[in-house]
Amino acid sequence: MTISLSTPNLEPNMSHGSVGLKVAQMSKEQQKIEGDIALKLIEAALPETPPAPVGNAGHIISTKA
């Protein structure tokens, strides 16, 4: 009994670019995931916005000396 590895099925896929297309799709998905992670890190590092002043305190500044 002989066992032979038939590789003709890979040749048409590689010549038609379906393997390259799949790699490109996976790469795009990976880049999107990494971009989302980077945005989350940037947002987490941003300082919190200070609360807005209440009333007129601090809004009127006298510039006369």
Side-chain angles (χ1 to χ4, degrees):
M1 181 167 125
T2 60
I3 299 173
S4 63
L5 179 63
S6 61
T7 57
N9 292 337
L10 281 179
E11 291 300 320
N13 288 339
M14 293 183 78
S15 65
H16 293 304
S18 62
V19 173
L21 181 63
K22 184 63 177 175
V23 169
Q25 288 173 342
M26 292 173 70
S27 175
K28 181 180 176 183
E29 290 173 8
Q30 182 67 26
Q31 287 177 352
K32 185 176 183 328
I33 291 169
E34 289 176 1
D36 290 341
I37 291 171
L39 285 176
K40 287 179 184 177
L41 285 172
I42 292 169
E43 289 173 355
L46 291 175
E48 294 182 24
T49 56
V54 179
N56 290 333
H59 291 277
I60 302 172
I61 300 172
S62 176
T63 58
K64 294 181 183 179

